[in-house]
Amino acid sequence: MTAITVFYTLCVIYGATAFYLPGLAPVNYCKAGEATLTCKPEIKLYVNRLNTEKNVIPYEYSHFDFCTAEDEASPVENLGQVVFGERIRPSPYKLDFLKDVKCAPACKPKIYTGDESSEEKLELLRNAIEANYQHHWIVDNMPVTWCYQLEDERQYCSTGFPMGCYSKESRSQQDTCTIHGPYNKPRTYYLFNHVNLTITYHSGGSEEWGSSFKENGGRIISVKVVPRSIKHTGTVDCESQIPLELPSSKLHNGDTFQVQYTYSVKFVKNNTIKWSSRWDYILESMPHTNIQWFSILNSLIIVLFLSGMVAMIMLRTLHKDIARYNQIESGEDAQEEFGWKLVHGDVFRPPRKGMLLSVLLGSGVQVFCMTLVTLAFACLGFLSPANRGALMTCAMVMYVCLGANAGYAAARVYKSFGGEKWKSNVLLTAMLSPGIVFGLFFIMNLIFWVNGSSAAVPFSTLIALLALWFGVSVPLTFFGAYLGFKRRALEHPVRTNQIPRQIPEQSFYTQPIPGVIMGGVLPFGCIFIQLFFILNSLWSSQVYYMFGFLFLVFVILVITCSETTILLCYFHLCAEDYHWWWRSFLTSGFTAVYLLIYCIHFFITKLDIEGATSTFLYFGYTFIMVYLFFLLTGSIGFFACFWFVRNIYSVVKVD
């Protein structure tokens, strides 16, 4: 604990004294011929995967026969980028600082003939254009953005731009072709083979960046693109207004179709925007991220108010109950027991399937600690959108390294149940939940691999994930379980009777199923607003950056799950129903069912995903998220209820 405290202290001190994170320091650029140790003239443009909102399957840049730069090495990708399907590759577009380019070819013309190979490539282009697949380019660790006006006259800057557009017969709605303008021939595929790049830079001079920095240098603050479709006839002509139409039918033998990819570059100086604020225009223009902060804050205040009311009612009611139970005026009164005190001899009776419950609780503790640490690092700024793949990498590494927490929690709970099969307990803790997640992930990875998608994790990465699981997580789980079983079993405040007490007939709201269903409503109410933005960032290529607010929502979720479970547990004990072990876990864990329902609603109303394969992949990832959320919320409710029951029965006098 001391080492962890020192580490977090250093992180806070570092975050307070320096703005730039490791690996994300600004890059100084200068004109060619004036390069020094502090600046460089060449600007690297990288291409990433191509994806679409209509299809969950992304593809590599080279999959569609675009221009590539095979002679250059690709940048190293971290674990999170590989798992998310990012494939960053060098591009053939040559950019030099402050060197405008009017019209330059990116590569040799692509010639398509009537053979089978060319037909397959053209058909692939047509299908991708109709599905609205989009490029994702990167310059100076910034996404190349495509900005245009929406129908409400608001500017939207997308982190991707389309590879082409398909002009439909009906033009009633705004689509890619209407945004670009002249591409209005019905049922025609237009390929965007030309890009106009506008690079905006900030030049602060020697006073801001040091005396060694040249005056005609700067830092890039934005790169915007305007894609165009140009039919180059003979020579390269970027001023041509004739668009490039893809053949709608197969080419005949002897016919050829040529595609020439070109680009132009323009540099614009802007000293009003600082380098540290260069992400602002992207984040501010994201659709639906202009949050009504007042309404969200109002909903959070309501949740906190309800939680406070629950806590106040519980404290006042319990205070009266405990005072009444401990007040003995006569021998007759001393023999009277009613309410939750009546079941004191059965409340700590071990539950059925205690092995499974302890295993799920151990995995839930692991997910809880992983979430807490990851959100803490995100709030410190280490997992910002500029640090690609860092969020997923941190979450996976934390999950693996926190296996000891899972083993310890599972062992302690299982030993309190009187369990003796410690080997089965630790093996299930190490294998069950990670096995379910990895099994689903492996099945979806096979689907990606069959479809030739960039999201297919390489075999070497799968081996690395298995090595992390069996080489790090499993030993740590065994170590934590060893420490847990070595300690004495938890001593309960009251003794358990040998003969179980009969449970009286329950009213509707104290029955198990209605209580569990009601228990997840309030916790879900405090997360569904943030859930919309999280799902948008996952499935609509939006940038999520509100980690501070997400941490606040996480804290409120913990409080709400705890208090809701405690309240319902108290009602059940007062109704002389002492089966609270599984019910406390399922009550708050049922929030995951509402999460699943919301994901289904989001899929139907907000997404345009088409095809059985993409639908299966969407729900595959959704089930992984729902299962982990079920473990998280269920464990929160159980341990809150466990603490509550132990405390109330430790302060009453029991003969």
Side-chain angles (χ1 to χ4, degrees):
M1 289 299 294
T2 305
I4 296 176
T5 304
V6 172
F7 176 74
Y8 272 105
T9 304
L10 291 175
C11 289
V12 172
I13 294 174
Y14 179 82
T17 57
F19 170 78
Y20 305 120
L21 302 178
L24 299 179
V27 179
N28 298 330
Y29 294 96
C30 54
K31 281 187 175 181
E34 299 181 3
T36 63
L37 294 176
T38 59
C39 69
K40 58 182 182 179
E42 184 182 5
I43 302 174
K44 293 285 188 179
L45 191 154
Y46 294 101
V47 294
N48 204 344
R49 63 177 182 177
L50 288 91
N51 63 359
T52 176
E53 295 183 12
K54 295 182 179 181
N55 198 326
V56 180
I57 303 175
Y59 293 100
E60 280 208 44
Y61 186 79
S62 59
H63 185 75
F64 297 101
D65 198 33
F66 294 128
C67 294
T68 57
E70 298 178 355
D71 55 334
E72 298 184 28
S74 301
V76 179
E77 296 163 342
N78 56 43
L79 185 61
Q81 289 176 301
V82 175
V83 172
F84 266 129
E86 292 194 11
R87 300 294 182 267
I88 301 176
R89 302 289 183 261
S91 76
Y93 298 91
K94 306 299 181 182
L95 308 179
D96 290 321
F97 190 71
L98 294 184
K99 182 180 179 181
D100 292 347
V101 178
K102 291 186 177 180
C103 185
C107 61
K108 294 180 180 180
K110 300 283 185 177
I111 307 297
Y112 299 93
T113 59
D115 61 355
E116 184 177 353
S117 176
S118 295
E119 289 297 338
E120 290 179 356
K121 293 177 181 178
L122 289 174
E123 184 64 22
L124 194 64
L125 284 174
R126 286 191 287 263
N127 293 337
I129 290 173
E130 190 169 4
N132 196 28
Y133 270 86
Q134 297 203 343
H135 295 275
H136 292 277
W137 291 1
I138 303 168
V139 172
D140 193 38
N141 204 39
M142 277 280 291
V144 176
T145 55
W146 171 45
C147 300
Y148 58 90
Q149 296 290 329
L150 297 175
E151 293 179 343
D152 57 0
E153 297 183 356
R154 183 171 58 90
Q155 188 184 58
Y156 168 53
C157 290
S158 170
T159 55
F161 64 95
M163 58 184 292
C165 72
Y166 176 63
S167 181
K168 302 178 182 178
E169 293 183 1
S170 174
R171 310 304 297 277
S172 58
Q173 296 182 348
Q174 187 181 35
D175 58 15
T176 307
C177 283
T178 57
I179 291 173
H180 288 82
Y183 316 118
N184 51 16
K185 187 177 179 181
R187 291 181 294 179
T188 303
Y189 296 92
Y190 296 96
L191 178 65
F192 294 150
N193 59 328
H194 176 84
V195 289
N196 291 325
L197 295 171
T198 302
I199 302 177
T200 306
Y201 68 98
H202 176 93
S203 179
S206 59
E207 293 182 0
E208 183 178 352
W209 297 337
S211 57
S212 61
F213 194 78
K214 303 294 183 180
E215 284 295 330
N216 34 349
R219 295 173 180 170
I220 295 175
I221 56 177
S222 72
V223 181
K224 298 180 180 180
V225 62
V226 177
R228 291 179 56 197
S229 179
I230 299 177
K231 184 177 182 180
H232 299 281
T233 55
T235 59
V236 174
D237 182 14
C238 297
E239 300 297 328
S240 174
Q241 299 299 318
I242 304 175
L244 180 65
E245 302 176 7
L246 289 180
S248 56
S249 59
K250 293 184 178 181
L251 295 174
H252 299 289
N253 290 331
D255 293 342
T256 59
F257 176 73
Q258 177 177 308
V259 178
Q260 174 68 68
Y261 292 95
T262 56
Y263 66 101
S264 61
V265 184
K266 181 181 179 182
F267 285 85
V268 177
K269 185 177 180 179
N270 187 338
N271 285 342
T272 60
I273 302 176
K274 295 183 178 180
W275 185 89
S276 58
S277 304
R278 62 180 188 162
W279 280 82
D280 291 354
Y281 85 100
I282 300 177
L283 303 179
E284 291 172 358
S285 68
M286 285 291 173
H288 310 299
T289 54
N290 186 16
I291 306 170
Q292 301 295 329
W293 288 101
F294 177 78
S295 62
I296 292 181
L297 187 60
N298 184 53
S299 65
L300 292 176
I301 291 174
I302 292 174
V303 172
L304 287 173
F305 176 74
L306 291 175
S307 302
M309 289 291 293
V310 169
M312 185 173 62
I313 292 172
M314 292 298 300
L315 290 175
R316 293 189 61 182
T317 307
L318 277 174
H319 180 74
K320 292 180 180 179
D321 286 347
I322 294 171
R324 186 168 66 250
Y325 289 151
N326 290 335
Q327 187 177 13
I328 304 175
E329 297 180 356
S330 63
E332 183 180 354
D333 292 337
Q335 295 177 0
E336 286 187 4
E337 292 182 354
F338 52 90
W340 53 269
K341 186 182 178 183
L342 194 62
V343 296
H344 67 83
D346 299 278
V347 72
F348 290 107
R349 187 177 303 280
R352 296 179 180 178
K353 300 187 183 301
M355 171 77 79
L356 178 61
L357 179 59
S358 64
V359 169
L360 294 178
L361 288 170
S363 299
V365 169
Q366 188 176 9
V367 175
F368 175 83
C369 296
M370 175 202 71
T371 306
L372 185 64
V373 174
T374 303
L375 286 178
F377 277 110
C379 291
L380 290 173
F382 286 94
L383 309 179
S384 67
N387 200 355
R388 302 175 185 278
L391 182 66
M392 188 65 179
T393 303
C394 179
M396 295 173 64
V397 172
M398 286 297 106
Y399 183 82
V400 169
C401 295
L402 292 169
N405 299 51
Y408 182 82
R412 292 286 285 164
V413 172
Y414 183 63
K415 194 171 184 179
S416 70
F417 294 159
E420 297 179 353
K421 299 179 180 179
W422 65 271
K423 293 180 181 179
S424 301
N425 179 263
V426 67
L427 282 174
L428 284 174
T429 305
M431 299 296 176
L432 181 62
S433 294
I436 292 174
V437 173
F438 185 83
L440 288 172
F441 177 77
F442 183 76
I443 293 172
M444 291 184 292
N445 193 68
L446 285 178
I447 296 175
F448 284 128
W449 178 74
V450 170
N451 287 272
S453 172
S454 65
V457 176
F459 181 75
S460 58
T461 305
L462 286 177
I463 297 299
L465 291 175
L466 289 174
L468 287 174
W469 180 11
F470 289 100
V472 180
S473 181
V474 172
L476 287 176
T477 305
F478 273 79
F479 176 72
Y482 169 77
L483 296 179
F485 278 109
K486 192 176 180 181
R487 297 193 60 180
R488 291 175 54 188
L490 294 172
E491 295 183 1
H492 300 307
V494 291
R495 290 179 295 179
T496 301
N497 297 333
Q498 292 183 354
I499 302 175
R501 181 183 180 85
Q502 186 176 1
I503 300 175
E505 186 177 354
Q506 300 293 305
S507 60
F508 175 77
Y509 70 92
T510 57
Q511 291 181 359
I513 295 179
V516 168
I517 293 175
M518 290 187 297
V521 174
L522 192 59
F524 179 75
C526 74
I527 66 166
F528 81 96
I529 296 176
Q530 278 298 305
L531 188 61
F532 173 80
F533 300 108
I534 293 174
L535 292 178
N536 245 352
S537 66
L538 289 175
W539 302 110
S540 299
S541 299
Q542 306 298 323
V543 179
Y544 188 86
Y545 62 98
M546 299 174 290
F547 294 110
F549 192 79
L550 182 62
F551 186 82
L552 175 63
V553 171
F554 175 73
V555 172
I556 295 176
L557 174 67
V558 173
I559 297 173
T560 311
C561 284
S562 303
E563 294 183 343
T564 304
T565 309
I566 289 173
L567 177 64
L568 292 175
C569 179
Y570 174 74
F571 288 155
H572 295 142
L573 292 177
C574 289
E576 302 178 18
D577 185 354
Y578 52 84
H579 292 154
W580 63 273
W581 299 97
W582 271 105
R583 189 178 297 169
S584 62
F585 182 82
L586 296 176
T587 296
S588 55
F590 200 80
T591 310
V593 177
Y594 292 105
L595 171 62
L596 176 61
I597 295 173
Y598 185 83
C599 289
I600 296 174
H601 168 75
F602 187 85
F603 175 81
I604 296 173
T605 59
K606 302 297 181 181
L607 298 180
D608 297 325
I609 293 178
E610 302 172 352
T613 303
S614 294
T615 302
F616 177 82
L617 292 170
Y618 172 84
F619 284 103
Y621 282 115
T622 298
F623 283 135
I624 291 177
M625 181 173 61
V626 168
Y627 178 69
L628 295 177
F629 191 75
F630 169 71
L631 296 176
L632 171 69
T633 53
S635 300
I636 292 171
F638 175 87
F639 286 108
C641 198
F642 185 67
W643 170 86
F644 169 75
V645 173
R646 284 178 57 87
N647 275 273
I648 64 174
Y649 282 98
S650 64
V651 295
V652 295
K653 297 177 181 178
V654 178
D655 295 333

